[in-house]
Amino acid sequence: MNFRVRQMKDRKRVILGIDPGFAILGYGVIEESAGEENSICFGCLRTSVKENFVERLEQIYKGVNSLIKEYKPDEIAIEKIFFAKNAKTAMQIGEVRGIILLTAIQNKVPIFEYTPLQVKLTIASYGQADKSQIQKMVKLILKLKEIPKPDDAADALAIAITHCHTKRR
C-alpha cells in the first residue's frame, strides 16, 4: 500500500497555465513532482492589432495547440474571468477563452479554471495581494533567479501553481 502511494506522489505531472488575452496571452509550463513545482518554460503569444479579430483568434488557436503538442500537459489551468470594466473587452476575452477550451477538448487535456482571488489566496495567502507580491512569490516557489517577465507569463505560472496546490494527487 505504501509503495503505491509513493508511486503516485512521485509521478511527474505537467501543467500548462494560461492567462487569457487577445493581444497578449501569457503561458507557463511547470512540472510537479513530489509536491514541488519547477518551471519548464514561460512566455507570451502575441497577436497584432493590425489583424482582424477572427485572424487573431486563429493565431491563438494555433499557438495554444502548438504548446499542447510540444509540452504534452496532463492538465491545463486557465484564469476564470468574472469581472471586466469594458463589455467589449470582456466579450473578446470570453471568445479567447472559448478557443482555449476548445483546443484543450480537441487534444483531450482536462481543463481547470481559477479566479484571480483563488490565485492570490493560493500564491500569497492574501486575497488583496498586488501583482508584484504574486510575481515575487512565483519566483520563490519556482526557485527562479528573476521575476518572470512579462507580467502575463508570471500570471500564467501563478495559475499553474494554483492548480498544483489545489489538485494535489
Side-chain angles (χ1 to χ4, degrees), residues 127-144:
Q128 299 298 315
D130 63 27
K131 267 198 184 297
S132 68
Q133 289 172 304
I134 298 299
Q135 292 168 348
K136 288 174 187 172
M137 289 304 298
V138 166
K139 176 186 174 240
L140 287 171
I141 292 167
L142 296 176
K143 299 175 185 83
L144 300 171

Side-chain angles (χ1 to χ4, degrees), residues 20 22 79-95 97 116:
F22 56 91
E79 185 176 65
K80 187 174 193 172
I81 306 299
F82 67 95
F83 174 77
K85 295 176 185 172
N86 180 316
K88 181 181 177 188
T89 301
M91 289 184 66
Q92 289 176 323
I93 295 293
E95 291 174 13
R97 282 179 35 81

Side-chain angles (χ1 to χ4, degrees), residues 13-19 25-32 36-45 63-77 138 142 144 148 152-161 164:
R13 168 168 82 136
V14 176
I15 310 300
L16 170 59
I18 298 178
D19 181 26
L25 179 144
Y27 67 87
V29 181
I30 65 173
E31 180 180 77
E32 181 207 24
E36 287 193 26
E37 298 88 18
N38 296 299
S39 173
I40 295 174
C41 76
F42 55 87
C44 291
L45 302 175
V64 171
N65 197 47
S66 178
L67 288 169
I68 292 170
K69 299 290 187 206
E70 183 172 351
Y71 296 103
K72 298 174 180 35
D74 297 297
E75 297 152 340
I76 294 174
V138 166
L142 296 176
L144 300 171
D152 306 272
D155 291 347
L157 288 169
I159 294 162
I161 294 166
C164 286

